[in-house]
Each structure stands twice: as C-alpha cells, then as structure tokens.
Amino acid sequence: GTFSGDQEKLQPEKRPAIIILPGGAYGFLSETEAEPVALTFLKEGFNTFVLYYSVGEESVYPNPLDDVSKAILQIRNNAQKWKTDPDAVAVMGFSAGAGIAALSATQWNDPDLAGRLGVPSDMLKPNAAVLGYGAARNSTIVDDPDVYKPPILGKIARDGTPQLDFPDYVGPHTCPMFIWCTREDAYVPQVNSELWIEMLNRYNLPYEMHIFGSGHHGMSVCNTLSSYGSEDLKTSVPAWVPLCTSWLRRLFNF
C-alpha cells in the first residue's frame, strides 16, 4: 500500500501529448518515423500516439486534415482517462507527415473543418507543431527538376493541392512551431525552412528552427531505434530530440 502510494506521487496527474505523423511522400507510412519516435518521446515523459492517416489515392484533401483533427479531438475528449493535458497537444510530423502537422497548425480554423466534425474550431487547434524535414510549398519538390520525386507520391501532392502551400495559411492563429532539417537533404530543399521563417517572422509567431549541416532525408529520431546506419549517429542530427524536448517542456511548463 505505502509503496504504490509513493509511486503514485511520482507520477504527474497529466502529461503533454504528442501525435506522431510518419512520412512517406503521402503514398505510404514510414515505420522508422512511427514507433521509434513514439518510444523516444515516451521516454521523455510525453504521452505519445502514432496516427496512420490517409495515404495514396485516399490522401485527397481534406482527408488528412480531417484525420489529424479527429486525433486531436479524440485525445482531448479522453484527456482525463488518458492522464493527458488537453491544453498541451502537439502534432509532430516527418517529411509528408510534417505536411500533415503543418495542415493542422495553419488550417485548424477552417470553418468547413469544424462543420464536418461538428465541433467548435478551438477544439481542433494543436498547441504546438514539430516539423521534421517537411516541405513548406509542394512546388519546391514537384516543380523542381533537380529534386528527386518519389515514384509513390500520394494524390494530394500530385494534384498540387493549394492547401499544401502552408505559408499562405500562416496567421495569428498559427500555433508555436519547432522546425528542423538538414542542408544536405536531397528530397526536401532547405529553401522550405527559409519560406517558413519569412512567414513566421511576418506575424511575429513563436518558433525555434535548427538546420543541421550534414545528414540526409528521413533520419527520424536518429538513434538506434530508427537509424539506417552508424554514420547517421556521427552527425549532430540526434541533437534535435533533446532540443525539441526542452522546447516543448518550456512551452507546456512540464
């Protein structure tokens, strides 16, 4: 009795939540950006959830935005049962998953979305967004002949859906953002980070950004759970995890 009671005191009553959105060019879902991320941030004290959102031909707008918004809503509706802080729900995406996180961060306030889900808009706002090596504009990939285009690009990207031009939707409503990428990324050019900075500064929005000098696309949490090889671990890319953890802890006072 005493032991379990003491243990209970060590556990916070509620924790921040992270919804993890794997990459995969909107065509599939990358396993290295799913459970390895959940376990890495679970270890840091967050409640973590992996969202398997609509991909391939099912990725057409607004399906992915609806998917992530329903996930945010589900966590808030179950906050007490899941010991989660409903005011500390972050979306964390990688590559195309960063696009889904950006959709949520910039377009959660679309009245049509609230109408489709039958809830007030503010129930759908993420409290933070973490974007790993994601595009700010779809055109930086699909229209650039020098950028590799994966053969399994999902329909939302092939269609050039305007909602994937995220800077056009940034405004005072946009949540705080943590953005990171590498200069050597051959799939998502660094110019995307510059496009984000321009718009976030224009609205004086809170953000933190890290551009690592070396490292390839798809490095995920860059530890032994997710890494493709030991060379990855010799870069400074693994540092994004503690940097992001401390940023989220300050933001959520956790």
Side-chain angles (χ1 to χ4, degrees):
T2 309
F3 178 72
S4 62
D6 288 346
Q7 287 292 92
E8 197 66 31
K9 288 174 195 168
L10 296 175
Q11 298 296 322
E13 287 178 23
K14 53 188 182 179
R15 299 172 181 269
I18 299 175
I19 299 171
I20 294 149
L21 303 152
Y26 301 105
F28 69 103
L29 293 157
S30 162
E31 288 301 324
T32 58
E33 293 159 345
E35 192 173 79
V37 183
L39 293 172
T40 297
F41 281 89
L42 183 70
K43 182 174 76 70
E44 300 300 332
F46 298 91
N47 287 340
T48 54
F49 306 82
V50 178
L51 178 63
Y52 293 92
Y53 55 88
S54 303
V55 293
E57 297 308 297
E58 297 300 311
S59 70
V60 290
Y61 182 86
N63 289 353
L65 176 60
D66 288 5
D67 292 342
V68 65
S69 302
K70 286 174 185 172
I72 292 169
L73 190 60
Q74 186 177 10
I75 288 170
R76 290 200 168 122
N77 285 340
N78 290 279
Q80 192 165 7
K81 181 166 64 170
W82 295 347
K83 296 193 171 181
T84 297
D85 183 348
D87 299 317
V89 180
V91 288
M92 177 182 288
F94 302 83
S95 194
I100 309 299
L103 267 179
S104 178
T106 62
Q107 295 162 58
W108 62 269
N109 63 335
D110 182 335
D112 291 341
L113 172 65
R116 287 193 300 274
L117 301 192
V119 294
S121 275
D122 60 4
M123 288 290 288
L124 306 175
K125 179 179 182 176
N127 302 109
V130 178
L131 313 181
Y133 45 87
R137 290 192 184 277
N138 194 40
S139 57
T140 64
I141 298 166
V142 297
D143 295 344
D144 188 334
D146 295 329
V147 175
Y148 175 81
K149 280 163 273 303
I152 191 165
L153 203 59
K155 186 163 169 54
I156 191 170
R158 296 200 313 272
D159 287 353
T161 303
Q163 283 83 358
L164 295 187
D165 283 334
F166 308 118
D168 296 346
Y169 296 87
V170 171
H173 67 285
T174 304
C175 66
M177 295 182 130
F178 183 99
I179 300 170
W180 73 274
C181 66
T182 67
R183 283 192 65 234
E184 296 177 345
D185 193 326
Y187 290 17
V188 179
Q190 182 192 316
V191 66
N192 287 280
S193 297
E194 293 155 19
L195 292 167
W196 274 117
I197 285 176
E198 181 187 350
M199 294 307 293
L200 294 170
N201 282 335
R202 181 177 299 180
Y203 290 96
N204 195 28
L205 294 166
Y207 72 89
E208 183 162 320
M209 184 174 293
H210 299 278
I211 301 173
F212 296 100
S214 59
H216 55 80
H217 190 79
M219 291 177 79
S220 184
V221 282
C222 204
N223 58 28
T224 51
L225 293 174
S226 69
S227 177
Y228 293 109
S230 59
E231 288 303 307
D232 288 359
L233 306 181
K234 294 176 185 172
T235 69
S236 52
V237 174
W240 85 264
V241 173
L243 288 167
C244 182
T245 298
S246 61
W247 182 80
L248 286 168
R249 283 184 178 147
R250 286 195 305 276
L251 187 67
F252 294 150
N253 193 26
F254 172 63

